[in-house]
Amino acid sequence: MARIVHTGDLHFCTPFQGFPPNVAERFREEQFASFEKTIEYVKEINADALLLAGDLFENEYVSYRILEFLRRCFASIPETHVFISPGNHDCIMGNDIYAAESLGENVTVFGEEISCVLLPEAGVRVYGTGLLNQTSHKDILLGFHAPRDGIANIFLAHCSLPPYGDLCPISARRLSESGIDYFAAGHIHSHEGFKKAGSTVYAYCGTPEGRFLDECGKKGIIAGDVTAENVSLSFKNTAKREVHKLNADISDAITYGDIIGKLGKLRKNDIYNIELCGTIGRNMFFDTNTLSEMLSERVFYANIKFAAKREEKKPDSIAEKLFGEILHERTKSGAIAAQAERLGLAALRGEKLEEI
């Protein structure tokens, strides 16, 4: 029986563009803590194999620091064999990491051609292949068939499994004819359950932590036992934070508190991607930076998008009517009058120019 942990798509050293610098730096540090948690779990269950299904790195951002970190992690689990299948973000030709750097004596990095490592005590063969470049479309399982001799067969790759087809797509037919007991895949950043093609069980581990505002849902790792007769795996939620996408209709909101009240129950450690929609009065203004700052007391990070429409017409206030009469009485240039009216009414309504 082989006890395994399957993870991938860690994208170490991601720059986290689009986030404030302090938030991006914290995300990068939390990647280290997240992987250390996985290593501790490997120790806890005494795993025979740690399967890393590609995109361990971001090609252009790999640092000496992350290499030393990974060497330390892998050295701390000497009895566990670590397998890495390079993906499109850390492809074999993308940098010199896999060719020039050793990550440890217990680490196997798969090359472009399929190769196999037998772990006799665990009764398992681990097959794997790595992507040569970022746009590979090779048919990974073409002509492949693992022997059925009582030893479990695991295949590790960064690719597209049904229903996906953008990167090295593998059909359900190829899977069902492969002789593989468990196909451990990387590339899709969400775990979508365990699926089956013939007798082959396959799954995406997803990324262990949501990295961007569209990576919603539970994140974690896959762990369990694989034999030639049975695949007994489960998804383990390990993410420190969860990403949520919310839409809030602010049509009747008057205060920032009204908007916050429409967001429902918020979790302190989570990330929220919030879109404000609906139709608000022409003289109603909400600053997204102010709202984001107010939410910082309630959540880890909130990204606010203002998508609400404004009423096109509204009765002018007495001050606005008086301003317009005086302006047009004293200004001869139509262009100057229009610009002055635009700026003046914005000031009277408490609006920012860019929101007009």
Side-chain angles (χ1 to χ4, degrees), residues 49 127 141 151-152 189 201 229 238 351:
Y127 294 88
L141 292 184
I151 296 177
H189 287 194
V201 176
E229 295 78 30
T238 61
E351 298 174 348

Side-chain angles (χ1 to χ4, degrees), residues 258-274:
D258 293 338
I259 297 177
I260 292 173
K262 294 176 179 293
L263 301 178
K265 186 177 180 180
L266 302 174
R267 296 169 56 178
K268 180 70 175 177
N269 287 327
D270 286 0
I271 302 164
Y272 289 84
N273 191 18
I274 301 168

Side-chain angles (χ1 to χ4, degrees), residues 242-260:
E242 191 172 333
V243 180
H244 307 269
K245 185 175 182 180
L246 300 178
N247 290 296
D249 186 338
I250 62 170
S251 298
D252 59 350
I254 298 175
T255 68
Y256 289 101
D258 293 338
I259 297 177
I260 292 173

